[in-house]
mmCIF file of all heavy atoms in Angstrom:
data_model
loop_
_atom_site.group_PDB
_atom_site.id
_atom_site.type_symbol
_atom_site.label_atom_id
_atom_site.label_comp_id
_atom_site.label_asym_id
_atom_site.label_seq_id
_atom_site.Cartn_x
_atom_site.Cartn_y
_atom_site.Cartn_z
ATOM 1 N N TYR A 177 73.108 -78.733 163.631
ATOM 2 C CA TYR A 177 71.888 -79.531 163.503
ATOM 3 C C TYR A 177 72.210 -80.904 162.905
ATOM 4 O O TYR A 177 73.152 -81.053 162.122
ATOM 5 C CB TYR A 177 70.863 -78.832 162.600
ATOM 6 C CG TYR A 177 70.192 -77.643 163.245
ATOM 7 C CD1 TYR A 177 70.819 -76.404 163.271
ATOM 8 C CD2 TYR A 177 68.935 -77.767 163.829
ATOM 9 C CE1 TYR A 177 70.197 -75.297 163.853
ATOM 10 C CE2 TYR A 177 68.303 -76.665 164.407
ATOM 11 C CZ TYR A 177 68.945 -75.442 164.417
ATOM 12 O OH TYR A 177 68.328 -74.352 165.000
ATOM 13 N N LYS A 178 71.393 -81.860 163.267
ATOM 14 C CA LYS A 178 71.507 -83.206 162.708
ATOM 15 C C LYS A 178 70.782 -83.222 161.362
ATOM 16 O O LYS A 178 69.556 -83.249 161.294
ATOM 17 C CB LYS A 178 70.877 -84.231 163.654
ATOM 18 C CG LYS A 178 70.984 -85.657 163.143
ATOM 19 C CD LYS A 178 70.278 -86.624 164.083
ATOM 20 C CE LYS A 178 70.328 -88.053 163.524
ATOM 21 N NZ LYS A 178 69.606 -89.007 164.405
ATOM 22 N N THR A 179 71.550 -83.185 160.284
ATOM 23 C CA THR A 179 70.969 -83.103 158.948
ATOM 24 C C THR A 179 70.920 -84.487 158.299
ATOM 25 O O THR A 179 71.336 -85.485 158.888
ATOM 26 C CB THR A 179 71.753 -82.132 158.061
ATOM 27 O OG1 THR A 179 73.109 -82.593 157.946
ATOM 28 C CG2 THR A 179 71.756 -80.730 158.667
ATOM 29 N N THR A 180 70.417 -84.532 157.075
ATOM 30 C CA THR A 180 70.325 -85.780 156.319
ATOM 31 C C THR A 180 70.970 -85.588 154.953
ATOM 32 O O THR A 180 71.133 -84.446 154.487
ATOM 33 C CB THR A 180 68.854 -86.194 156.113
ATOM 34 O OG1 THR A 180 68.217 -85.215 155.264
ATOM 35 C CG2 THR A 180 68.113 -86.282 157.440
ATOM 36 N N PRO A 181 71.336 -86.680 154.268
ATOM 37 C CA PRO A 181 71.923 -86.539 152.922
ATOM 38 C C PRO A 181 71.016 -85.785 151.955
ATOM 39 O O PRO A 181 71.488 -84.972 151.157
ATOM 40 C CB PRO A 181 72.135 -87.993 152.480
ATOM 41 C CG PRO A 181 72.317 -88.747 153.763
ATOM 42 C CD PRO A 181 71.398 -88.078 154.744
ATOM 43 N N GLN A 182 69.695 -86.021 152.032
ATOM 44 C CA GLN A 182 68.811 -85.320 151.099
ATOM 45 C C GLN A 182 68.733 -83.829 151.413
ATOM 46 O O GLN A 182 68.686 -83.000 150.496
ATOM 47 C CB GLN A 182 67.409 -85.926 151.110
ATOM 48 C CG GLN A 182 66.525 -85.300 150.020
ATOM 49 C CD GLN A 182 65.237 -86.047 149.801
ATOM 50 O OE1 GLN A 182 64.463 -86.247 150.726
ATOM 51 N NE2 GLN A 182 64.982 -86.447 148.549
ATOM 52 N N PHE A 183 68.739 -83.484 152.679
ATOM 53 C CA PHE A 183 68.758 -82.064 153.032
ATOM 54 C C PHE A 183 70.013 -81.401 152.471
ATOM 55 O O PHE A 183 69.945 -80.303 151.902
ATOM 56 C CB PHE A 183 68.709 -81.883 154.550
ATOM 57 C CG PHE A 183 68.998 -80.465 154.986
ATOM 58 C CD1 PHE A 183 68.004 -79.499 154.933
ATOM 59 C CD2 PHE A 183 70.274 -80.089 155.385
ATOM 60 C CE1 PHE A 183 68.266 -78.180 155.292
ATOM 61 C CE2 PHE A 183 70.556 -78.775 155.746
ATOM 62 C CZ PHE A 183 69.542 -77.824 155.703
ATOM 63 N N LYS A 184 71.157 -82.052 152.628
ATOM 64 C CA LYS A 184 72.415 -81.474 152.139
ATOM 65 C C LYS A 184 72.390 -81.318 150.623
ATOM 66 O O LYS A 184 72.876 -80.313 150.084
ATOM 67 C CB LYS A 184 73.588 -82.358 152.564
ATOM 68 C CG LYS A 184 73.859 -82.344 154.069
ATOM 69 C CD LYS A 184 75.002 -83.280 154.419
ATOM 70 C CE LYS A 184 75.288 -83.257 155.907
ATOM 71 N NZ LYS A 184 76.363 -84.202 156.288
ATOM 72 N N GLN A 185 71.829 -82.325 149.949
ATOM 73 C CA GLN A 185 71.726 -82.233 148.482
ATOM 74 C C GLN A 185 70.854 -81.043 148.083
ATOM 75 O O GLN A 185 71.228 -80.245 147.210
ATOM 76 C CB GLN A 185 71.124 -83.530 147.929
ATOM 77 C CG GLN A 185 70.957 -83.523 146.410
ATOM 78 C CD GLN A 185 70.064 -84.652 145.927
ATOM 79 O OE1 GLN A 185 68.971 -84.859 146.449
ATOM 80 N NE2 GLN A 185 70.535 -85.393 144.933
ATOM 81 N N TRP A 186 69.698 -80.930 148.718
ATOM 82 C CA TRP A 186 68.809 -79.824 148.396
ATOM 83 C C TRP A 186 69.467 -78.475 148.691
ATOM 84 O O TRP A 186 69.414 -77.549 147.865
ATOM 85 C CB TRP A 186 67.505 -79.929 149.199
ATOM 86 C CG TRP A 186 66.706 -78.664 149.113
ATOM 87 C CD1 TRP A 186 65.892 -78.275 148.090
ATOM 88 C CD2 TRP A 186 66.698 -77.588 150.055
ATOM 89 N NE1 TRP A 186 65.372 -77.030 148.343
ATOM 90 C CE2 TRP A 186 65.852 -76.578 149.549
ATOM 91 C CE3 TRP A 186 67.326 -77.388 151.294
ATOM 92 C CZ2 TRP A 186 65.623 -75.387 150.230
ATOM 93 C CZ3 TRP A 186 67.095 -76.198 151.974
ATOM 94 C CH2 TRP A 186 66.240 -75.210 151.434
ATOM 95 N N ALA A 187 70.073 -78.335 149.875
ATOM 96 C CA ALA A 187 70.658 -77.048 150.282
ATOM 97 C C ALA A 187 71.758 -76.615 149.312
ATOM 98 O O ALA A 187 71.862 -75.425 148.963
ATOM 99 C CB ALA A 187 71.208 -77.150 151.701
ATOM 100 N N LYS A 188 72.593 -77.562 148.901
ATOM 101 C CA LYS A 188 73.670 -77.247 147.941
ATOM 102 C C LYS A 188 73.093 -76.653 146.664
ATOM 103 O O LYS A 188 73.523 -75.589 146.193
ATOM 104 C CB LYS A 188 74.448 -78.524 147.626
ATOM 105 C CG LYS A 188 75.377 -78.432 146.418
ATOM 106 C CD LYS A 188 76.066 -79.769 146.188
ATOM 107 C CE LYS A 188 76.690 -79.876 144.807
ATOM 108 N NZ LYS A 188 77.665 -78.840 144.492
ATOM 109 N N TYR A 189 72.067 -77.317 146.096
ATOM 110 C CA TYR A 189 71.487 -76.833 144.846
ATOM 111 C C TYR A 189 70.642 -75.576 145.063
ATOM 112 O O TYR A 189 70.592 -74.706 144.188
ATOM 113 C CB TYR A 189 70.656 -77.937 144.196
ATOM 114 C CG TYR A 189 71.497 -79.092 143.702
ATOM 115 C CD1 TYR A 189 71.126 -80.412 143.941
ATOM 116 C CD2 TYR A 189 72.670 -78.861 142.984
ATOM 117 C CE1 TYR A 189 71.894 -81.470 143.482
ATOM 118 C CE2 TYR A 189 73.451 -79.910 142.534
ATOM 119 C CZ TYR A 189 73.061 -81.208 142.785
ATOM 120 O OH TYR A 189 73.828 -82.258 142.330
ATOM 121 N N PHE A 190 69.995 -75.483 146.190
ATOM 122 C CA PHE A 190 69.211 -74.289 146.505
ATOM 123 C C PHE A 190 70.096 -73.048 146.485
ATOM 124 O O PHE A 190 69.764 -72.039 145.854
ATOM 125 C CB PHE A 190 68.540 -74.455 147.868
ATOM 126 C CG PHE A 190 67.973 -73.186 148.439
ATOM 127 C CD1 PHE A 190 66.878 -72.566 147.846
ATOM 128 C CD2 PHE A 190 68.540 -72.600 149.563
ATOM 129 C CE1 PHE A 190 66.353 -71.386 148.373
ATOM 130 C CE2 PHE A 190 68.023 -71.440 150.099
ATOM 131 C CZ PHE A 190 66.927 -70.823 149.499
ATOM 132 N N LEU A 191 71.241 -73.117 147.175
ATOM 133 C CA LEU A 191 72.126 -71.953 147.247
ATOM 134 C C LEU A 191 72.761 -71.649 145.892
ATOM 135 O O LEU A 191 72.788 -70.493 145.446
ATOM 136 C CB LEU A 191 73.222 -72.195 148.293
ATOM 137 C CG LEU A 191 72.756 -72.335 149.747
ATOM 138 C CD1 LEU A 191 73.947 -72.634 150.654
ATOM 139 C CD2 LEU A 191 72.046 -71.078 150.222
ATOM 140 N N GLU A 192 73.258 -72.679 145.216
ATOM 141 C CA GLU A 192 73.948 -72.455 143.940
ATOM 142 C C GLU A 192 73.008 -71.921 142.871
ATOM 143 O O GLU A 192 73.328 -70.939 142.181
ATOM 144 C CB GLU A 192 74.572 -73.770 143.461
ATOM 145 C CG GLU A 192 75.775 -74.211 144.279
ATOM 146 C CD GLU A 192 76.378 -75.493 143.736
ATOM 147 O OE1 GLU A 192 75.805 -76.067 142.782
ATOM 148 O OE2 GLU A 192 77.419 -75.915 144.275
ATOM 149 N N TYR A 193 71.853 -72.556 142.753
ATOM 150 C CA TYR A 193 70.969 -72.172 141.651
ATOM 151 C C TYR A 193 70.141 -70.926 141.971
ATOM 152 O O TYR A 193 69.638 -70.277 141.046
ATOM 153 C CB TYR A 193 70.096 -73.349 141.223
ATOM 154 C CG TYR A 193 70.900 -74.360 140.434
ATOM 155 C CD1 TYR A 193 71.322 -75.557 141.013
ATOM 156 C CD2 TYR A 193 71.290 -74.081 139.129
ATOM 157 C CE1 TYR A 193 72.089 -76.465 140.290
ATOM 158 C CE2 TYR A 193 72.061 -74.981 138.400
ATOM 159 C CZ TYR A 193 72.458 -76.165 138.988
ATOM 160 O OH TYR A 193 73.226 -77.052 138.259
ATOM 161 N N GLN A 194 70.017 -70.572 143.243
ATOM 162 C CA GLN A 194 69.423 -69.271 143.546
ATOM 163 C C GLN A 194 70.364 -68.164 143.096
ATOM 164 O O GLN A 194 69.938 -67.131 142.566
ATOM 165 C CB GLN A 194 69.129 -69.133 145.043
ATOM 166 C CG GLN A 194 68.316 -67.889 145.396
ATOM 167 C CD GLN A 194 66.980 -67.834 144.678
ATOM 168 O OE1 GLN A 194 66.161 -68.711 144.826
ATOM 169 N NE2 GLN A 194 66.776 -66.797 143.870
ATOM 170 N N CYS A 195 71.661 -68.395 143.285
ATOM 171 C CA CYS A 195 72.660 -67.447 142.779
ATOM 172 C C CYS A 195 72.563 -67.351 141.256
ATOM 173 O O CYS A 195 72.547 -66.251 140.689
ATOM 174 C CB CYS A 195 74.058 -67.895 143.205
ATOM 175 S SG CYS A 195 75.393 -66.854 142.576
ATOM 176 N N ALA A 196 72.485 -68.496 140.589
ATOM 177 C CA ALA A 196 72.389 -68.508 139.120
ATOM 178 C C ALA A 196 71.136 -67.786 138.645
ATOM 179 O O ALA A 196 71.173 -67.005 137.681
ATOM 180 C CB ALA A 196 72.397 -69.955 138.616
ATOM 181 N N ALA A 197 70.006 -68.043 139.328
ATOM 182 C CA ALA A 197 68.745 -67.393 138.944
ATOM 183 C C ALA A 197 68.827 -65.889 139.149
ATOM 184 O O ALA A 197 68.316 -65.104 138.339
ATOM 185 C CB ALA A 197 67.587 -67.979 139.752
ATOM 186 N N ASP A 198 69.465 -65.454 140.233
ATOM 187 C CA ASP A 198 69.643 -64.017 140.476
ATOM 188 C C ASP A 198 70.506 -63.384 139.390
ATOM 189 O O ASP A 198 70.233 -62.262 138.931
ATOM 190 C CB ASP A 198 70.281 -63.781 141.850
ATOM 191 C CG ASP A 198 69.319 -64.021 142.997
ATOM 192 O OD1 ASP A 198 68.093 -64.035 142.760
ATOM 193 O OD2 ASP A 198 69.788 -64.193 144.143
#
Side-chain angles (χ1 to χ4, degrees):
Y177 287 82
K178 181 183 177 182
T179 60
T180 66
Q182 186 168 56
F183 169 81
K184 291 178 179 178
Q185 179 194 49
W186 168 80
K188 166 181 164 57
Y189 292 135
F190 167 68
L191 295 177
E192 289 182 356
Y193 285 104
Q194 189 58 60
C195 177
D198 286 342

